Amino acid sequence: MRHGFITPAPLHYVRNHGAVPRADWAAWTVEVAGLVRRPARLTMEQLVRDFPAVEIPVTLVCSSNRRREQNMVRQTVGFNWGPAAVSTSVWRGARLRDVLRRCGIVPRGGGALNVCFEGADGLPGGGAGTTYGTSIRREWAMDPAMDVMLAYMQNGEPLLPDHGFPVRLIVPGCTAGRMVKWLRRIVVTTAESDNYYHYRDNRFLPSHVDAELADAEGENLVQASHTPEHVINEMNINSVITTPGHDEILPVDGVTTQRGYTVKGYAYSGGGKKVTRMEVTLDGGETWLLCELDHPEKPTKYGKHWCWCFWSVEVEVLDLLGAKEIAVRAWDQSLNTQPEKLVWNLMGMMNNCWFRVKVNVCQPRKGEIGLAFEHPTQPGNQPGGWMARQKRIDAAEAAAATALRRGTPEPPTTGANRRFTMAEVREHASPDSAWIVVHGSVYDCTAYLKDHPGGADSILINAGTDCTEEFDAIHSDKAKALLDAYRIGELVTTGNKGHASDAAPRRARRLAMVAGGSGIAPMYQVIQAVLRDQPEDETEMHLVYANRTEEDILLRGELDRWAAEFPDRLKVWYVVDQVKRPEEGWECSVGFVTEAILREHVPEGGDDALALACGPPAMIQHAVAPNLEKMKYHRSSSFVVF
């Protein structure tokens, strides 16, 4: 966004399915074959010299832009794109229609209904010799308004290898999955492409189709999904908030409240449609603010808009102070707009729900107040984002509820039961010894390197790492079951997760709970579940809750009410850094969480005791964990950190 309308080529997002092929401009040719009267093999020099050049800006978007939001709801079969799988370049090349007309494309009546494209990248899918390929309809290829081109320059320079050097297809307004790189062949056919990737990618399947159904149906589902209703061609309308950024903090003081704050972002639509309206809401959609639109591109002579645009709106800081979130939606000239809620689909494609940024009140420094902004996710495996936080809370609640009902589960019985540290795993990252971690188990994949359908490189690139997320994204349950044969043990962790012990399952009757700041959230859910949903439960809960001041204690009213109503089942003790209102009296602890405080206010560990902790990492690491261990709570069996 800092670079504005045109994305520098080195920053342009990249989506490749395999290794980048080596290419020589002088030796490269593009074959044109199939239903044409004059088949040809065109050199790069001929493409540049013999055909009129067209040069226009075009925004490229991956169909799976914003996929990680879908993966937070339920895992798809794709990797974690954030909201930046979108870029804009000025592309120069020969029009596809000029090339096809020069080669004498036969009429529709002669069966020339589709134009297929093949790249030069050797890929694992579909067997030996497979390259990336796809097709578009004849009408799209031959329509002068659609600006389909064989591009050989990007932003005034030859294409970079990652972007298709020496020549690639550009289909404006379409999913980038149709824009074949390292173009080698163009074949005019009656039927659409039968390429492995054409049939298995860029599909928007119904939400009821999950990984289990897809695995069970196999080829039948592939065929059933290959209908016009499921195929992705034109991109849908989408928009994203880029300012405020994730983790940005806006001070709230006498200066900032006297001036507005500008919220900004980008938007795009597909098929050449212009984005005509942008709206921002601070109250969940009850009211909307109209944004200013900036369209740097001029429409083509056919009225097409192939690029993203930018939007902005100034809001009052005091209005932000009262808001829980900022949400945005776009409209295009066909009055298409974005849905409020996310629509999950197996491939994680075309996510375009309202983009929401959470607004949280924070204390940047002592005596100050500010607003901290939180985006839904961070791209790739980066931590952060309100959706990721909510997922952790949900998982923690589920884990705590399970622990309460059943005690700590036994470890997996398949494979060896040796335990390894992550440092030991990292030492095995070569073809001679390739280990990976998936869901806390360690696997030695060395013997499988030569047999892996995706090739040895796709294992070696992850060797020595925890690749749980990547593995889940692209493997079926059948593939996951194959892992058992290579399991050599489990991963030892030191703080984020409790691990099963070798002891038999036991029932936790005493809960030692330690929370700091917003870490009260999972504890609150556990307490609520026990007291409200399990009225006959006799579990004793002892909570130590630490904050800066008594004013910072969250949910204090509810906690005190429950402690008074259920004195034998819930005991609460507060610890604060400082007392702001000593005149009102303070009967709990002042200072930090210490061993003495824990020994006095939570039970000692034992066969029927479980410790739960959630709070700032420094508090957990230096104050809570070592002291609970002294009290006979063990991270391997009876101590869970959220």
Side-chain angles (χ1 to χ4, degrees), residues 241-419:
I241 297 169
T242 59
T243 300
H246 179 68
D247 280 346
E248 179 181 332
I249 294 178
L250 171 66
V252 178
D253 52 36
V255 176
T256 58
T257 54
Q258 296 302 310
R259 59 189 185 215
Y261 179 84
T262 303
V263 181
K264 302 177 184 179
Y266 73 75
Y268 59 81
S269 192
K273 299 181 182 70
K274 181 181 182 180
V275 175
T276 54
R277 189 195 318 170
M278 287 299 310
E279 296 174 318
V280 160
T281 180
L282 303 179
D283 55 15
E286 292 294 322
T287 60
W288 293 88
L289 303 171
L290 201 60
C291 305
E292 291 185 14
L293 276 169
D294 176 19
H295 285 276
E297 70 167 327
K298 295 180 180 178
T300 71
K301 67 178 182 179
Y302 297 100
K304 300 292 185 180
H305 288 77
W306 298 131
C307 298
W308 62 359
C309 65
F310 305 117
W311 57 267
S312 62
V313 63
E314 188 173 282
V315 298
E316 296 293 332
V317 172
L318 291 179
D319 289 340
L320 285 176
L321 189 60
K324 294 182 179 179
E325 69 175 21
I326 310 168
V328 64
R329 68 182 180 189
W331 300 75
D332 69 19
Q333 65 191 65
S334 296
L335 297 182
N336 299 310
T337 191
Q338 299 171 244
E340 178 180 359
K341 297 181 179 179
L342 180 150
V343 179
W344 186 90
N345 63 94
L346 180 62
M347 292 186 176
M349 301 287 190
M350 305 290 273
N351 179 30
N352 71 331
C353 59
W354 296 358
F355 191 88
R356 303 171 186 267
V357 172
K358 298 296 183 184
V359 183
N360 304 304
V361 177
C362 67
Q363 192 173 23
R365 299 181 194 82
K366 189 174 180 180
E368 295 182 355
I369 188 172
L371 298 177
F373 300 101
E374 191 177 21
H375 281 222
T377 64
Q378 288 294 279
N381 295 329
Q382 296 179 62
W386 63 263
M387 292 188 78
R389 175 169 51 82
Q390 186 59 50
K391 187 175 183 179
R392 287 196 302 272
I393 291 173
D394 292 344
E397 291 172 11
T402 300
L404 284 170
R405 289 194 303 270
R406 304 175 184 172
T408 308
E410 290 185 272
T413 56
T414 57
N417 282 319
R418 292 179 60 195
R419 307 184 75 188

Side-chain angles (χ1 to χ4, degrees), residues 1 126 139 142 164 229 277 409 441 482 496 532 538 562 589:
M1 290 298 291
E139 288 78 11
M142 299 302 292
E229 291 79 13
R277 189 195 318 170
S441 289
L482 292 175
N496 290 331
R532 185 187 65 187
E538 298 179 355
W562 281 340
S589 299

Side-chain angles (χ1 to χ4, degrees), residues 523-597:
M523 308 300 176
Y524 178 84
Q525 297 293 340
V526 170
I527 295 169
Q528 185 180 48
V530 173
L531 296 181
R532 185 187 65 187
D533 302 334
Q534 303 177 47
E536 304 305 320
D537 195 304
E538 298 179 355
T539 301
E540 295 177 11
M541 295 174 286
H542 301 257
L543 172 66
V544 171
Y545 183 21
N547 281 279
R548 284 189 173 186
T549 72
E550 69 271 33
E551 294 177 349
D552 297 320
I553 299 173
L554 303 174
L555 303 169
R556 184 179 180 183
E558 285 290 288
L559 294 172
D560 288 346
R561 180 177 64 79
W562 281 340
E565 189 175 346
F566 304 97
D568 296 330
R569 299 177 64 192
L570 175 64
K571 301 184 187 301
V572 180
W573 188 257
Y574 301 111
V575 181
V576 296
D577 251 352
Q578 57 178 298
V579 178
K580 279 198 168 184
R581 297 189 300 274
E583 69 278 2
E584 296 182 8
W586 178 253
E587 299 178 354
C588 295
S589 299
V590 178
F592 301 101
V593 176
T594 63
E595 180 183 352
I597 289 174

Side-chain angles (χ1 to χ4, degrees), residues 63 134 137 174-175 178 192 197-210 213 217-236 343-350:
S63 304
T134 187
R137 300 185 311 276
C174 183
T175 173
R178 301 275 170 256
E192 59 185 286
Y197 293 94
H198 180 75
Y199 267 83
R200 286 168 170 78
D201 207 352
N202 295 294
R203 299 283 177 273
F204 192 106
L205 301 178
S207 294
H208 76 276
V209 179
D210 56 17
L213 178 60
E217 292 291 330
E219 286 302 313
N220 292 332
L221 182 63
V222 172
Q223 295 296 330
S225 70
H226 200 76
T227 63
E229 291 79 13
H230 298 152
V231 175
I232 300 170
N233 282 309
E234 288 188 5
M235 289 305 298
N236 55 1
V343 179
W344 186 90
N345 63 94
L346 180 62
M347 292 186 176
M349 301 287 190
M350 305 290 273

Side-chain angles (χ1 to χ4, degrees), residues 416-469:
N417 282 319
R418 292 179 60 195
R419 307 184 75 188
F420 301 96
T421 65
M422 200 63 217
E424 290 176 294
V425 173
R426 291 191 191 101
E427 293 175 359
H428 298 268
S430 71
D432 298 325
S433 182
W435 292 8
I436 61 171
V437 175
V438 178
H439 291 296
S441 289
V442 181
Y443 300 90
D444 183 351
C445 299
T446 313
Y448 192 56
L449 290 175
K450 63 181 184 302
D451 299 321
H452 187 240
D457 286 348
S458 56
I459 293 179
L460 291 174
I461 198 172
N462 292 294
T465 72
D466 186 332
C467 60
T468 301
E469 197 161 7

Side-chain angles (χ1 to χ4, degrees), residues 494-495 514 593-596 598-599 611 613 616-635 639 641:
T494 56
V514 187
V593 176
T594 63
E595 180 183 352
L598 292 178
R599 287 192 177 278
M619 183 188 92
I620 300 297
Q621 181 180 356
H622 299 296
V624 178
N627 290 321
L628 285 179
E629 287 177 349
K630 292 178 185 177
M631 296 170 63
K632 301 180 182 178
Y633 288 98
H634 305 290
R635 296 196 191 191
F639 179 17
V641 177

